[in-house]
Amino acid sequence: MLDETTIAAIADDLANAEKNRSKIGLLTAKYPDMTVEDSYAVQDEWRRRGEASGRRLIGHKIGLTSKPMQQATGISEPDYGAIFADQVYDTGSVIDHSQYSGVRVEVELAFVLKDELRGPDISLIDVLRATEYVVPALEVLSSRIEMEGRTIVDTISDNAALGAMVLGGRPVAVDAVDLRRVGALLYRNESIEDSGLAAAVLDHPARGIVWLANKLAEHGDVLQAGETVLAGSFTRPMWVSPGDTVHADYGDLGVITCRFK
């Protein structure tokens, strides 16, 4: 594994890239022996610095859980990242495009937990029992590392490319709808760009939470009561530019709209 000095140096480079709205080179090119565990160590350092500066952790995101996303990135296993309170927007928000880099939007469901989930051996039923409600969400992706040729090591180090989360629509209990069949239509500037069903996420969106709870246990961490978890995208990432309006129609679960300035 990489030593602590190298991990801190990578975290510094990523922090500077975020500040300058730029990208650094592929970590896998500079550190060819870098492992997944190294990349989570980099992410943990980023999270630690954020909390030390006063940012409030409110949840986690899961990425690369669906075939469309895996095909879009060339990566074949899920990953996760941390969400801070200052990264959350409500539907109807106007978002400053310039604060992100490589800006794309994905369609997801967010699970809000009422109970702790502590792995290992968390099951689908455990997740459903621990969920207070599910609500439509958009994830805004932002890349601090070059995108061409990146591997899961690069993506995890980059906090799974999280930029922001937009919440909206209608919260529902897990037994109020068939979560597998929740669908969404994704529009950019009134033109439909993509659509999908939540079953594209590991056959059931709650299975992403199962994976996350058990993966966190490997790193000595848990999902806390009250956390919001982005379960993974069931559409391909859609590029957005300044001036674009994004609209996601979840049918009976309502809509989310935001505009990038």
Side-chain angles (χ1 to χ4, degrees):
M1 292 184 66
L2 299 179
D3 58 49
E4 291 184 3
T5 300
T6 304
I7 289 170
I10 295 171
D12 288 339
D13 289 343
L14 288 167
N16 289 330
E18 184 170 30
K19 179 180 178 180
N20 298 324
R21 312 296 181 250
S22 59
K23 295 184 180 71
I24 65 173
L26 295 173
L27 297 177
T28 42
K30 188 172 182 180
Y31 307 100
D33 296 326
M34 190 173 178
T35 66
V36 167
E37 292 307 309
D38 289 329
S39 61
Y40 278 119
V42 171
Q43 185 188 121
D44 286 345
E45 174 64 11
W46 175 86
R47 169 181 164 178
R48 185 196 65 77
R49 292 180 183 189
E51 291 183 296
S53 69
R55 301 179 78 183
R56 181 168 61 90
L57 184 75
I58 59 96
H60 288 80
K61 66 151 286 186
I62 310 166
L64 309 176
T65 52
S66 68
K67 291 296 184 183
M69 278 306 301
Q70 291 176 358
Q71 290 169 357
T73 59
I75 296 170
S76 60
E77 60 179 310
D79 64 0
Y80 70 81
I83 306 173
F84 287 116
D86 58 15
Q87 295 176 294
V88 182
Y89 295 88
D90 292 325
T91 184
S93 293
V94 177
I95 301 172
D96 184 359
H97 187 278
S98 67
Q99 66 184 311
Y100 306 114
S101 178
V103 188
R104 293 143 291 149
V105 170
E106 297 174 347
V107 168
E108 311 202 11
L109 292 176
F111 286 64
V112 178
L113 302 179
K114 61 183 177 180
D115 299 317
E116 177 187 270
L117 284 171
R118 183 181 295 271
D121 303 322
I122 292 296
S123 69
L124 180 65
I125 297 301
D126 293 329
V127 170
L128 297 177
R129 285 173 175 165
T131 300
E132 183 175 4
Y133 60 86
V134 178
V135 64
L138 297 177
E139 182 179 357
V140 179
L141 297 175
S142 180
S143 297
R144 278 73 55 170
I145 298 176
E146 288 180 7
M147 298 177 63
E148 185 68 29
R150 66 163 49 192
T151 71
I152 194 166
V153 167
D154 299 291
T155 304
I156 293 169
S157 301
D158 196 18
N159 195 41
L162 177 70
M165 172 174 67
V166 185
L167 294 175
R170 179 170 69 90
V172 294
V174 294
D175 58 353
V177 296
D178 182 351
L179 292 175
R180 295 180 68 254
R181 296 190 179 276
V182 171
L185 305 174
L186 180 62
Y187 294 80
R188 179 178 54 210
N189 303 329
E190 301 180 359
S191 295
I192 187 164
E193 296 289 339
D194 206 348
S195 63
L197 287 177
V201 179
L202 300 174
D203 194 47
H204 192 298
R207 292 194 188 280
I209 319 297
V210 173
W211 175 86
L212 176 60
N214 291 326
K215 189 68 174 180
L216 285 173
E218 296 177 13
H219 299 149
D221 203 354
V222 301
L223 287 172
Q224 304 282 353
E227 280 201 38
T228 299
V229 184
L230 277 172
S233 178
F234 48 97
T235 60
R236 289 178 174 82
M238 180 181 75
W239 287 88
V240 292
S241 301
D244 283 345
T245 295
V246 175
H247 179 80
D249 183 348
Y250 287 77
D252 291 343
L253 268 65
V255 301
I256 304 174
T257 298
C258 61
R259 181 171 65 85
F260 289 85
K261 66 177 183 178

